[in-house]
Amino acid sequence: MRNGSAGSVCLLWALTLLVAVPVQALAADPLRSWNDGPVKQSIIDFVTRSTTEGSPGFIPPEERIATFDNDGTLWQEQPVVQGAFLKEQVKALVKEDASLALKQPFKAVLEGDLALLSTMDEPELMALFAATHKGKTQEEFAAEARTFFKTARHPKFGVPYTQLAYAPMLELLQYLRAHGFQTWISSGGGTDFMRVISEDTYGIPPQQVIGSDLKEHFDDQGGHPVLRREAKVDHINDKAGKPVGIGQHIGRRPVFAAGNVRSGGDIQMLQYTKEQPRAGFTLLINHDDAQREFAYQEKNDASLKAARAGGWTVVSMRQDWKRIFPEGR
Amino acid sequence: MRNGSAGSVCLLWALTLLVAVPVQALAADPLRSWNDGPVKQSIIDFVTRSTTEGSPGFIPPEERIATFDNDGTLWQEQPVVQGAFLKEQVKALVKEDASLALKQPFKAVLEGDLALLSTMDEPELMALFAATHKGKTQEEFAAEARTFFKTARHPKFGVPYTQLAYAPMLELLQYLRAHGFQTWISSGGGTDFMRVISEDTYGIPPQQVIGSDLKEHFDDQGGHPVLRREAKVDHINDKAGKPVGIGQHIGRRPVFAAGNVRSGGDIQMLQYTKEQPRAGFTLLINHDDAQREFAYQEKNDASLKAARAGGWTVVSMRQDWKRIFPEGR
């Protein structure tokens, strides 16, 4: 009886150890997918000093706002996910009216494949969204987007797009939240598109997603009121539009912002975050990992130049990230 | 020694009781400024069933969004506070250029006194805001608004405007938050004006304030980037604009909304909240208390008619509120 009891305690203890290992590893290293080095250290230093009372860098909890670009910063952008969604939408339109396949911009979308979509600039993409969204209610659009996320697969990795969020960035989001930061998305993508997956993928609720918007109007619909999308762009949340979107939705400057090299779309958000009395923390991700993800540059190198001028922290995916995607994906 | 120890325990117990009394009172009646009756009971019933797991009315925490109009719902609106602020701004402009006092709309603002301002419709007010805001940075505007709130006094009550928030509504905000609801302002007033006082007055952070907006643009300002206000209206958060603002900022329907009788400005927000699969809770405040606050009606009675048609809960300030303003104000 005594021995049996001791044996049970031992077994329990052994089980506890097994369970405890990952928890301990997490506590010891909240950024375990980041390689040790100056980039990882600078993040830890910032969070430590901004949450240590009495530290000159202390930031009161209500001011701990962190904003993240989405495409290329939180998840992969080859292809841009909303571009892939758009192609599916156009295919569905063509099924109903075959003549559309010969008309622009639908023709270009269908023929141009994902590579062309990736090179489209924001206004072109938004014009297309307008053509595909007009008159739809919020609920109808969200249902379409949900179906896409369930059924679509990435052409290279063969998995749902939501599984291609970056492991190091998911850890960073959690690490910041664990230290009282409120995490936001500020992306050029469509607000309502991202809102469908932001909570489950990133732990970011819909009300903390800022993106590009079409105009909407209230429609009473005989006593069952809805919001309907119009074929008019309301806000482009890219480049100089990002600080504007942040001003509208948050009403104060972030103290932490992250973006990536590709189109220069995050420069102003990072400048707006860096240049303030207390100097915010600014992170710029460089896609230089052809083997594990993709390697691509920016035409005029504006983002990296701005990073050097502004003293931003530049992430080399190849050097600074131990893994790109979550394990066991 | 034994006795001494027992005495200490008794003293500790007595102290605990003393401290515990107000806490118990709070726990017993979180809505102590509301008179007992069907209105108060309907609020308590809604919160109880929406937070009781297994109840057919249970609402998951992430969907517990509550939106509140501000003027006339959370604080007094005779005069509309932002109207009083506007008058101070115009006075300051006239000090710099006396000829403005003879020009419209400045002349009307100065001569028309608060009564006229109160009757101005939203677009007129916004046009005036544009004239008084253009080119100002977010920080400059916020500083002006803060000065106003420090120095201005209500013409009837003689206290700062922030002391004229309604005690029953402050309790309701706290009660909802204590049950996992996220409380938002959705008001026709200027977003940035309300954001200056929302946290201290209501416990609502700036990022949970939705209001009317002027367009803003990003200005690099030689490496010290700011947002500047333009003389163009971006969004009027009134009537059918309220559900649109809620869609943009929150991205899901509130399950609780409160507005008031005066201009019909809250009808669509309340309809949008009420009409959904789970039927939201909708509160409409009627100002019928000339003695303790003000008594006023709506020209066409549209809000009260909509309340009857939609089954909203109507608050009579005279009958349902034990006190209007916080004690010891």
PDB file of all heavy atoms in Angstrom, chain A residues 139 182 195 207 218 223-225 234 243 247-249 251 253 268 275, chain B residues 138-139 182 195 207 218 223-225 234 243 247-249 251 253 268 275:
ATOM      1  N   GLU A 139     -22.225  40.385 -43.270  1.00  0.00           N
ATOM      2  CA  GLU A 139     -22.355  38.970 -42.972  1.00  0.00           C
ATOM      3  C   GLU A 139     -22.086  38.115 -44.225  1.00  0.00           C
ATOM      4  O   GLU A 139     -21.424  37.080 -44.149  1.00  0.00           O
ATOM      5  CB  GLU A 139     -23.761  38.661 -42.414  1.00  0.00           C
ATOM      6  CG  GLU A 139     -23.996  39.114 -40.974  1.00  0.00           C
ATOM      7  CD  GLU A 139     -24.369  40.608 -40.833  1.00  0.00           C
ATOM      8  OE1 GLU A 139     -24.451  41.321 -41.864  1.00  0.00           O
ATOM      9  OE2 GLU A 139     -24.585  41.067 -39.695  1.00  0.00           O
ATOM     10  N   GLN A 182      -1.317  46.164 -25.915  1.00  0.00           N
ATOM     11  CA  GLN A 182      -2.479  45.836 -26.732  1.00  0.00           C
ATOM     12  C   GLN A 182      -1.973  45.704 -28.170  1.00  0.00           C
ATOM     13  O   GLN A 182      -1.374  46.635 -28.697  1.00  0.00           O
ATOM     14  CB  GLN A 182      -3.527  46.939 -26.621  1.00  0.00           C
ATOM     15  CG  GLN A 182      -4.919  46.477 -26.998  1.00  0.00           C
ATOM     16  CD  GLN A 182      -5.985  47.546 -26.803  1.00  0.00           C
ATOM     17  OE1 GLN A 182      -5.854  48.661 -27.302  1.00  0.00           O
ATOM     18  NE2 GLN A 182      -7.048  47.216 -26.090  1.00  0.00           N
ATOM     19  N   ARG A 195     -10.432  40.506 -40.453  1.00  0.00           N
ATOM     20  CA  ARG A 195     -11.182  40.307 -39.213  1.00  0.00           C
ATOM     21  C   ARG A 195     -11.733  38.889 -39.071  1.00  0.00           C
ATOM     22  O   ARG A 195     -11.965  38.422 -37.967  1.00  0.00           O
ATOM     23  CB  ARG A 195     -12.342  41.313 -39.145  1.00  0.00           C
ATOM     24  CG  ARG A 195     -11.891  42.667 -38.653  1.00  0.00           C
ATOM     25  CD  ARG A 195     -13.003  43.687 -38.719  1.00  0.00           C
ATOM     26  NE  ARG A 195     -12.620  44.916 -38.020  1.00  0.00           N
ATOM     27  CZ  ARG A 195     -13.289  46.064 -38.102  1.00  0.00           C
ATOM     28  NH1 ARG A 195     -14.373  46.132 -38.846  1.00  0.00           N
ATOM     29  NH2 ARG A 195     -12.885  47.117 -37.440  1.00  0.00           N
ATOM     30  N   GLN A 207     -12.001  44.202 -33.470  1.00  0.00           N
ATOM     31  CA  GLN A 207     -11.971  45.643 -33.211  1.00  0.00           C
ATOM     32  C   GLN A 207     -10.547  46.180 -33.118  1.00  0.00           C
ATOM     33  O   GLN A 207     -10.361  47.387 -33.017  1.00  0.00           O
ATOM     34  CB  GLN A 207     -12.778  45.998 -31.955  1.00  0.00           C
ATOM     35  CG  GLN A 207     -12.314  45.358 -30.657  1.00  0.00           C
ATOM     36  CD  GLN A 207     -13.042  44.073 -30.344  1.00  0.00           C
ATOM     37  OE1 GLN A 207     -13.303  43.273 -31.248  1.00  0.00           O
ATOM     38  NE2 GLN A 207     -13.347  43.831 -29.079  1.00  0.00           N
ATOM     39  N   PHE A 218     -25.939  52.051 -44.220  1.00  0.00           N
ATOM     40  CA  PHE A 218     -26.944  51.369 -43.417  1.00  0.00           C
ATOM     41  C   PHE A 218     -28.161  51.131 -44.284  1.00  0.00           C
ATOM     42  O   PHE A 218     -28.624  52.022 -44.985  1.00  0.00           O
ATOM     43  CB  PHE A 218     -27.296  52.266 -42.225  1.00  0.00           C
ATOM     44  CG  PHE A 218     -28.375  51.736 -41.337  1.00  0.00           C
ATOM     45  CD1 PHE A 218     -28.092  50.775 -40.381  1.00  0.00           C
ATOM     46  CD2 PHE A 218     -29.673  52.225 -41.425  1.00  0.00           C
ATOM     47  CE1 PHE A 218     -29.079  50.287 -39.534  1.00  0.00           C
ATOM     48  CE2 PHE A 218     -30.673  51.748 -40.579  1.00  0.00           C
ATOM     49  CZ  PHE A 218     -30.368  50.776 -39.640  1.00  0.00           C
ATOM     50  N   GLY A 223     -36.896  46.462 -41.635  1.00  0.00           N
ATOM     51  CA  GLY A 223     -36.884  46.130 -40.207  1.00  0.00           C
ATOM     52  C   GLY A 223     -35.791  45.161 -39.802  1.00  0.00           C
ATOM     53  O   GLY A 223     -35.715  44.773 -38.645  1.00  0.00           O
ATOM     54  N   HIS A 224     -34.969  44.731 -40.748  1.00  0.00           N
ATOM     55  CA  HIS A 224     -33.839  43.858 -40.412  1.00  0.00           C
ATOM     56  C   HIS A 224     -32.547  44.516 -40.894  1.00  0.00           C
ATOM     57  O   HIS A 224     -31.981  44.130 -41.902  1.00  0.00           O
ATOM     58  CB  HIS A 224     -34.009  42.472 -41.041  1.00  0.00           C
ATOM     59  CG  HIS A 224     -35.260  41.795 -40.605  1.00  0.00           C
ATOM     60  ND1 HIS A 224     -35.401  41.250 -39.342  1.00  0.00           N
ATOM     61  CD2 HIS A 224     -36.449  41.624 -41.228  1.00  0.00           C
ATOM     62  CE1 HIS A 224     -36.619  40.741 -39.223  1.00  0.00           C
ATOM     63  NE2 HIS A 224     -37.278  40.959 -40.346  1.00  0.00           N
ATOM     64  N   PRO A 225     -32.101  45.526 -40.153  1.00  0.00           N
ATOM     65  CA  PRO A 225     -31.042  46.406 -40.650  1.00  0.00           C
ATOM     66  C   PRO A 225     -29.694  45.706 -40.848  1.00  0.00           C
ATOM     67  O   PRO A 225     -29.316  44.860 -40.044  1.00  0.00           O
ATOM     68  CB  PRO A 225     -30.900  47.464 -39.549  1.00  0.00           C
ATOM     69  CG  PRO A 225     -31.882  47.156 -38.497  1.00  0.00           C
ATOM     70  CD  PRO A 225     -32.525  45.851 -38.792  1.00  0.00           C
ATOM     71  N   ASP A 234     -13.117  53.816 -49.267  1.00  0.00           N
ATOM     72  CA  ASP A 234     -13.237  54.780 -48.173  1.00  0.00           C
ATOM     73  C   ASP A 234     -11.871  55.163 -47.624  1.00  0.00           C
ATOM     74  O   ASP A 234     -11.602  56.321 -47.343  1.00  0.00           O
ATOM     75  CB  ASP A 234     -14.097  54.177 -47.053  1.00  0.00           C
ATOM     76  CG  ASP A 234     -14.370  55.175 -45.938  1.00  0.00           C
ATOM     77  OD1 ASP A 234     -14.711  56.330 -46.264  1.00  0.00           O
ATOM     78  OD2 ASP A 234     -14.244  54.818 -44.756  1.00  0.00           O
ATOM     79  N   PRO A 243      -0.545  55.819 -40.650  1.00  0.00           N
ATOM     80  CA  PRO A 243      -0.706  56.654 -39.446  1.00  0.00           C
ATOM     81  C   PRO A 243      -2.108  57.259 -39.357  1.00  0.00           C
ATOM     82  O   PRO A 243      -2.654  57.399 -38.258  1.00  0.00           O
ATOM     83  CB  PRO A 243       0.348  57.756 -39.627  1.00  0.00           C
ATOM     84  CG  PRO A 243       1.348  57.182 -40.570  1.00  0.00           C
ATOM     85  CD  PRO A 243       0.588  56.265 -41.474  1.00  0.00           C
ATOM     86  N   GLY A 247      -4.545  56.875 -36.271  1.00  0.00           N
ATOM     87  CA  GLY A 247      -5.148  58.029 -35.597  1.00  0.00           C
ATOM     88  C   GLY A 247      -6.655  57.857 -35.442  1.00  0.00           C
ATOM     89  O   GLY A 247      -7.212  58.111 -34.377  1.00  0.00           O
ATOM     90  N   GLN A 248      -7.297  57.390 -36.508  1.00  0.00           N
ATOM     91  CA  GLN A 248      -8.760  57.221 -36.458  1.00  0.00           C
ATOM     92  C   GLN A 248      -9.179  56.147 -35.463  1.00  0.00           C
ATOM     93  O   GLN A 248     -10.113  56.331 -34.698  1.00  0.00           O
ATOM     94  CB  GLN A 248      -9.293  56.807 -37.830  1.00  0.00           C
ATOM     95  CG  GLN A 248      -9.385  57.953 -38.822  1.00  0.00           C
ATOM     96  CD  GLN A 248      -9.892  57.463 -40.167  1.00  0.00           C
ATOM     97  OE1 GLN A 248      -9.758  56.292 -40.503  1.00  0.00           O
ATOM     98  NE2 GLN A 248     -10.443  58.372 -40.948  1.00  0.00           N
ATOM     99  N   HIS A 249      -8.490  55.022 -35.506  1.00  0.00           N
ATOM    100  CA  HIS A 249      -8.947  53.874 -34.718  1.00  0.00           C
ATOM    101  C   HIS A 249      -8.417  53.879 -33.286  1.00  0.00           C
ATOM    102  O   HIS A 249      -9.081  53.388 -32.384  1.00  0.00           O
ATOM    103  CB  HIS A 249      -8.536  52.557 -35.385  1.00  0.00           C
ATOM    104  CG  HIS A 249      -9.357  52.204 -36.586  1.00  0.00           C
ATOM    105  ND1 HIS A 249     -10.363  51.276 -36.536  1.00  0.00           N
ATOM    106  CD2 HIS A 249      -9.342  52.668 -37.849  1.00  0.00           C
ATOM    107  CE1 HIS A 249     -10.933  51.176 -37.735  1.00  0.00           C
ATOM    108  NE2 HIS A 249     -10.324  52.007 -38.547  1.00  0.00           N
ATOM    109  N   GLY A 251      -6.186  56.631 -31.816  1.00  0.00           N
ATOM    110  CA  GLY A 251      -6.161  57.959 -31.213  1.00  0.00           C
ATOM    111  C   GLY A 251      -4.910  58.246 -30.401  1.00  0.00           C
ATOM    112  O   GLY A 251      -4.855  59.241 -29.694  1.00  0.00           O
ATOM    113  N   ARG A 253      -0.315  57.486 -30.544  1.00  0.00           N
ATOM    114  CA  ARG A 253       0.771  56.853 -31.279  1.00  0.00           C
ATOM    115  C   ARG A 253       1.120  55.511 -30.673  1.00  0.00           C
ATOM    116  O   ARG A 253       1.189  55.381 -29.453  1.00  0.00           O
ATOM    117  CB  ARG A 253       2.030  57.729 -31.218  1.00  0.00           C
ATOM    118  CG  ARG A 253       1.913  58.976 -32.011  1.00  0.00           C
ATOM    119  CD  ARG A 253       3.265  59.674 -32.086  1.00  0.00           C
ATOM    120  NE  ARG A 253       3.032  61.051 -32.504  1.00  0.00           N
ATOM    121  CZ  ARG A 253       3.690  61.662 -33.473  1.00  0.00           C
ATOM    122  NH1 ARG A 253       4.670  61.037 -34.105  1.00  0.00           N
ATOM    123  NH2 ARG A 253       3.412  62.894 -33.810  1.00  0.00           N
ATOM    124  N   GLN A 268       5.918  55.034 -43.234  1.00  0.00           N
ATOM    125  CA  GLN A 268       5.329  56.129 -42.445  1.00  0.00           C
ATOM    126  C   GLN A 268       4.838  55.649 -41.079  1.00  0.00           C
ATOM    127  O   GLN A 268       4.953  56.371 -40.098  1.00  0.00           O
ATOM    128  CB  GLN A 268       4.187  56.796 -43.225  1.00  0.00           C
ATOM    129  CG  GLN A 268       4.666  57.647 -44.394  1.00  0.00           C
ATOM    130  CD  GLN A 268       4.861  56.850 -45.678  1.00  0.00           C
ATOM    131  OE1 GLN A 268       4.902  55.608 -45.670  1.00  0.00           O
ATOM    132  NE2 GLN A 268       4.998  57.539 -46.792  1.00  0.00           N
ATOM    133  N   GLU A 275       9.275  58.482 -34.015  1.00  0.00           N
ATOM    134  CA  GLU A 275       9.483  59.904 -33.721  1.00  0.00           C
ATOM    135  C   GLU A 275       8.453  60.427 -32.739  1.00  0.00           C
ATOM    136  O   GLU A 275       7.401  60.909 -33.127  1.00  0.00           O
ATOM    137  CB  GLU A 275       9.407  60.729 -35.013  1.00  0.00           C
ATOM    138  CG  GLU A 275      10.510  60.463 -35.987  1.00  0.00           C
ATOM    139  CD  GLU A 275      11.834  61.062 -35.565  1.00  0.00           C
ATOM    140  OE1 GLU A 275      11.846  62.042 -34.784  1.00  0.00           O
ATOM    141  OE2 GLU A 275      12.859  60.552 -36.017  1.00  0.00           O
TER     142      GLU A 275
ATOM    143  N   GLN B 138      -2.966  66.568 -34.181  1.00  0.00           N
ATOM    144  CA  GLN B 138      -3.730  65.870 -33.131  1.00  0.00           C
ATOM    145  C   GLN B 138      -3.350  66.397 -31.760  1.00  0.00           C
ATOM    146  O   GLN B 138      -4.207  66.619 -30.901  1.00  0.00           O
ATOM    147  CB  GLN B 138      -3.411  64.369 -33.184  1.00  0.00           C
ATOM    148  CG  GLN B 138      -4.231  63.609 -34.203  1.00  0.00           C
ATOM    149  CD  GLN B 138      -4.275  62.130 -33.857  1.00  0.00           C
ATOM    150  OE1 GLN B 138      -3.291  61.570 -33.417  1.00  0.00           O
ATOM    151  NE2 GLN B 138      -5.412  61.482 -34.080  1.00  0.00           N
ATOM    152  N   GLU B 139      -2.049  66.572 -31.542  1.00  0.00           N
ATOM    153  CA  GLU B 139      -1.560  67.011 -30.229  1.00  0.00           C
ATOM    154  C   GLU B 139      -2.038  68.435 -29.917  1.00  0.00           C
ATOM    155  O   GLU B 139      -2.429  68.723 -28.781  1.00  0.00           O
ATOM    156  CB  GLU B 139      -0.025  66.943 -30.179  1.00  0.00           C
ATOM    157  CG  GLU B 139       0.548  65.515 -30.084  1.00  0.00           C
ATOM    158  CD  GLU B 139       0.661  64.787 -31.430  1.00  0.00           C
ATOM    159  OE1 GLU B 139       0.282  65.374 -32.476  1.00  0.00           O
ATOM    160  OE2 GLU B 139       1.117  63.625 -31.432  1.00  0.00           O
ATOM    161  N   GLN B 182     -17.233  44.882 -23.187  1.00  0.00           N
ATOM    162  CA  GLN B 182     -16.338  45.966 -23.586  1.00  0.00           C
ATOM    163  C   GLN B 182     -17.230  47.168 -23.880  1.00  0.00           C
ATOM    164  O   GLN B 182     -18.137  47.081 -24.716  1.00  0.00           O
ATOM    165  CB  GLN B 182     -15.533  45.552 -24.822  1.00  0.00           C
ATOM    166  CG  GLN B 182     -14.287  46.385 -25.026  1.00  0.00           C
ATOM    167  CD  GLN B 182     -13.431  45.908 -26.189  1.00  0.00           C
ATOM    168  OE1 GLN B 182     -13.911  45.780 -27.313  1.00  0.00           O
ATOM    169  NE2 GLN B 182     -12.163  45.653 -25.937  1.00  0.00           N
ATOM    170  N   ARG B 195     -12.173  61.832 -26.882  1.00  0.00           N
ATOM    171  CA  ARG B 195     -11.050  60.999 -26.446  1.00  0.00           C
ATOM    172  C   ARG B 195     -10.223  61.645 -25.334  1.00  0.00           C
ATOM    173  O   ARG B 195      -9.565  60.950 -24.555  1.00  0.00           O
ATOM    174  CB  ARG B 195     -10.144  60.689 -27.640  1.00  0.00           C
ATOM    175  CG  ARG B 195     -10.666  59.552 -28.491  1.00  0.00           C
ATOM    176  CD  ARG B 195      -9.828  59.339 -29.737  1.00  0.00           C
ATOM    177  NE  ARG B 195     -10.220  58.097 -30.401  1.00  0.00           N
ATOM    178  CZ  ARG B 195      -9.851  57.765 -31.632  1.00  0.00           C
ATOM    179  NH1 ARG B 195      -9.099  58.597 -32.347  1.00  0.00           N
ATOM    180  NH2 ARG B 195     -10.237  56.617 -32.160  1.00  0.00           N
ATOM    181  N   GLN B 207      -9.263  54.379 -27.778  1.00  0.00           N
ATOM    182  CA  GLN B 207      -9.484  53.473 -28.912  1.00  0.00           C
ATOM    183  C   GLN B 207     -10.884  52.868 -28.901  1.00  0.00           C
ATOM    184  O   GLN B 207     -11.264  52.201 -29.850  1.00  0.00           O
ATOM    185  CB  GLN B 207      -8.408  52.382 -28.983  1.00  0.00           C
ATOM    186  CG  GLN B 207      -8.305  51.456 -27.789  1.00  0.00           C
ATOM    187  CD  GLN B 207      -7.288  51.941 -26.765  1.00  0.00           C
ATOM    188  OE1 GLN B 207      -7.157  53.139 -26.519  1.00  0.00           O
ATOM    189  NE2 GLN B 207      -6.563  51.010 -26.163  1.00  0.00           N
ATOM    190  N   PHE B 218      -1.130  62.689 -43.131  1.00  0.00           N
ATOM    191  CA  PHE B 218       0.192  62.509 -42.540  1.00  0.00           C
ATOM    192  C   PHE B 218       1.107  63.606 -43.057  1.00  0.00           C
ATOM    193  O   PHE B 218       1.158  63.876 -44.257  1.00  0.00           O
ATOM    194  CB  PHE B 218       0.720  61.127 -42.959  1.00  0.00           C
ATOM    195  CG  PHE B 218       2.103  60.810 -42.477  1.00  0.00           C
ATOM    196  CD1 PHE B 218       2.314  60.382 -41.174  1.00  0.00           C
ATOM    197  CD2 PHE B 218       3.198  60.915 -43.328  1.00  0.00           C
ATOM    198  CE1 PHE B 218       3.595  60.056 -40.729  1.00  0.00           C
ATOM    199  CE2 PHE B 218       4.473  60.600 -42.890  1.00  0.00           C
ATOM    200  CZ  PHE B 218       4.673  60.164 -41.578  1.00  0.00           C
ATOM    201  N   GLY B 223      10.962  65.151 -40.667  1.00  0.00           N
ATOM    202  CA  GLY B 223      11.443  64.063 -39.807  1.00  0.00           C
ATOM    203  C   GLY B 223      10.741  63.966 -38.468  1.00  0.00           C
ATOM    204  O   GLY B 223      11.097  63.130 -37.649  1.00  0.00           O
ATOM    205  N   HIS B 224       9.764  64.815 -38.232  1.00  0.00           N
ATOM    206  CA  HIS B 224       8.985  64.722 -36.993  1.00  0.00           C
ATOM    207  C   HIS B 224       7.507  64.584 -37.346  1.00  0.00           C
ATOM    208  O   HIS B 224       6.742  65.537 -37.257  1.00  0.00           O
ATOM    209  CB  HIS B 224       9.215  65.941 -36.103  1.00  0.00           C
ATOM    210  CG  HIS B 224      10.643  66.116 -35.725  1.00  0.00           C
ATOM    211  ND1 HIS B 224      11.282  65.318 -34.806  1.00  0.00           N
ATOM    212  CD2 HIS B 224      11.582  66.973 -36.195  1.00  0.00           C
ATOM    213  CE1 HIS B 224      12.540  65.678 -34.696  1.00  0.00           C
ATOM    214  NE2 HIS B 224      12.760  66.679 -35.530  1.00  0.00           N
ATOM    215  N   PRO B 225       7.128  63.394 -37.787  1.00  0.00           N
ATOM    216  CA  PRO B 225       5.815  63.202 -38.414  1.00  0.00           C
ATOM    217  C   PRO B 225       4.645  63.456 -37.471  1.00  0.00           C
ATOM    218  O   PRO B 225       4.697  63.078 -36.304  1.00  0.00           O
ATOM    219  CB  PRO B 225       5.825  61.735 -38.826  1.00  0.00           C
ATOM    220  CG  PRO B 225       7.125  61.170 -38.449  1.00  0.00           C
ATOM    221  CD  PRO B 225       7.881  62.150 -37.641  1.00  0.00           C
ATOM    222  N   ASP B 234     -14.964  63.765 -42.691  1.00  0.00           N
ATOM    223  CA  ASP B 234     -14.697  62.395 -43.132  1.00  0.00           C
ATOM    224  C   ASP B 234     -15.878  61.486 -42.817  1.00  0.00           C
ATOM    225  O   ASP B 234     -16.256  60.644 -43.619  1.00  0.00           O
ATOM    226  CB  ASP B 234     -13.439  61.873 -42.428  1.00  0.00           C
ATOM    227  CG  ASP B 234     -13.021  60.511 -42.943  1.00  0.00           C
ATOM    228  OD1 ASP B 234     -13.038  60.322 -44.167  1.00  0.00           O
ATOM    229  OD2 ASP B 234     -12.684  59.639 -42.128  1.00  0.00           O
ATOM    230  N   PRO B 243     -24.387  52.984 -37.128  1.00  0.00           N
ATOM    231  CA  PRO B 243     -24.035  51.592 -37.418  1.00  0.00           C
ATOM    232  C   PRO B 243     -22.803  51.499 -38.342  1.00  0.00           C
ATOM    233  O   PRO B 243     -21.991  50.587 -38.189  1.00  0.00           O
ATOM    234  CB  PRO B 243     -25.281  51.038 -38.123  1.00  0.00           C
ATOM    235  CG  PRO B 243     -26.396  51.919 -37.674  1.00  0.00           C
ATOM    236  CD  PRO B 243     -25.794  53.278 -37.471  1.00  0.00           C
ATOM    237  N   GLY B 247     -19.507  49.479 -37.538  1.00  0.00           N
ATOM    238  CA  GLY B 247     -18.955  48.484 -38.462  1.00  0.00           C
ATOM    239  C   GLY B 247     -17.471  48.716 -38.718  1.00  0.00           C
ATOM    240  O   GLY B 247     -16.671  47.785 -38.696  1.00  0.00           O
ATOM    241  N   GLN B 248     -17.104  49.974 -38.927  1.00  0.00           N
ATOM    242  CA  GLN B 248     -15.700  50.293 -39.207  1.00  0.00           C
ATOM    243  C   GLN B 248     -14.798  50.014 -38.013  1.00  0.00           C
ATOM    244  O   GLN B 248     -13.721  49.449 -38.153  1.00  0.00           O
ATOM    245  CB  GLN B 248     -15.560  51.770 -39.565  1.00  0.00           C
ATOM    246  CG  GLN B 248     -15.984  52.114 -40.978  1.00  0.00           C
ATOM    247  CD  GLN B 248     -15.837  53.600 -41.255  1.00  0.00           C
ATOM    248  OE1 GLN B 248     -15.834  54.415 -40.335  1.00  0.00           O
ATOM    249  NE2 GLN B 248     -15.727  53.948 -42.524  1.00  0.00           N
ATOM    250  N   HIS B 249     -15.224  50.439 -36.848  1.00  0.00           N
ATOM    251  CA  HIS B 249     -14.341  50.374 -35.678  1.00  0.00           C
ATOM    252  C   HIS B 249     -14.391  49.027 -34.954  1.00  0.00           C
ATOM    253  O   HIS B 249     -13.396  48.614 -34.381  1.00  0.00           O
ATOM    254  CB  HIS B 249     -14.691  51.483 -34.683  1.00  0.00           C
ATOM    255  CG  HIS B 249     -14.220  52.840 -35.109  1.00  0.00           C
ATOM    256  ND1 HIS B 249     -13.096  53.422 -34.594  1.00  0.00           N
ATOM    257  CD2 HIS B 249     -14.705  53.711 -36.020  1.00  0.00           C
ATOM    258  CE1 HIS B 249     -12.923  54.607 -35.155  1.00  0.00           C
ATOM    259  NE2 HIS B 249     -13.889  54.812 -36.027  1.00  0.00           N
ATOM    260  N   GLY B 251     -16.562  46.058 -36.069  1.00  0.00           N
ATOM    261  CA  GLY B 251     -16.640  44.912 -36.973  1.00  0.00           C
ATOM    262  C   GLY B 251     -17.604  43.836 -36.522  1.00  0.00           C
ATOM    263  O   GLY B 251     -17.627  42.759 -37.087  1.00  0.00           O
ATOM    264  N   ARG B 253     -21.779  43.448 -34.479  1.00  0.00           N
ATOM    265  CA  ARG B 253     -22.902  44.167 -33.892  1.00  0.00           C
ATOM    266  C   ARG B 253     -22.770  44.200 -32.382  1.00  0.00           C
ATOM    267  O   ARG B 253     -22.432  43.192 -31.766  1.00  0.00           O
ATOM    268  CB  ARG B 253     -24.223  43.470 -34.232  1.00  0.00           C
ATOM    269  CG  ARG B 253     -24.582  43.592 -35.664  1.00  0.00           C
ATOM    270  CD  ARG B 253     -26.006  43.081 -35.894  1.00  0.00           C
ATOM    271  NE  ARG B 253     -26.173  42.863 -37.320  1.00  0.00           N
ATOM    272  CZ  ARG B 253     -27.223  43.264 -38.021  1.00  0.00           C
ATOM    273  NH1 ARG B 253     -28.223  43.871 -37.416  1.00  0.00           N
ATOM    274  NH2 ARG B 253     -27.291  43.049 -39.303  1.00  0.00           N
ATOM    275  N   GLN B 268     -31.056  54.363 -35.462  1.00  0.00           N
ATOM    276  CA  GLN B 268     -30.472  53.285 -36.278  1.00  0.00           C
ATOM    277  C   GLN B 268     -29.506  52.405 -35.481  1.00  0.00           C
ATOM    278  O   GLN B 268     -29.440  51.199 -35.684  1.00  0.00           O
ATOM    279  CB  GLN B 268     -29.777  53.857 -37.520  1.00  0.00           C
ATOM    280  CG  GLN B 268     -30.734  54.397 -38.566  1.00  0.00           C
ATOM    281  CD  GLN B 268     -31.175  55.832 -38.308  1.00  0.00           C
ATOM    282  OE1 GLN B 268     -30.961  56.400 -37.239  1.00  0.00           O
ATOM    283  NE2 GLN B 268     -31.797  56.443 -39.312  1.00  0.00           N
ATOM    284  N   GLU B 275     -31.990  44.135 -33.741  1.00  0.00           N
ATOM    285  CA  GLU B 275     -32.375  43.187 -34.790  1.00  0.00           C
ATOM    286  C   GLU B 275     -31.223  42.281 -35.167  1.00  0.00           C
ATOM    287  O   GLU B 275     -30.457  42.587 -36.071  1.00  0.00           O
ATOM    288  CB  GLU B 275     -32.843  43.940 -36.035  1.00  0.00           C
ATOM    289  CG  GLU B 275     -34.135  44.693 -35.858  1.00  0.00           C
ATOM    290  CD  GLU B 275     -35.357  43.777 -35.761  1.00  0.00           C
ATOM    291  OE1 GLU B 275     -35.316  42.656 -36.296  1.00  0.00           O
ATOM    292  OE2 GLU B 275     -36.327  44.215 -35.141  1.00  0.00           O
TER     293      GLU B 275
END
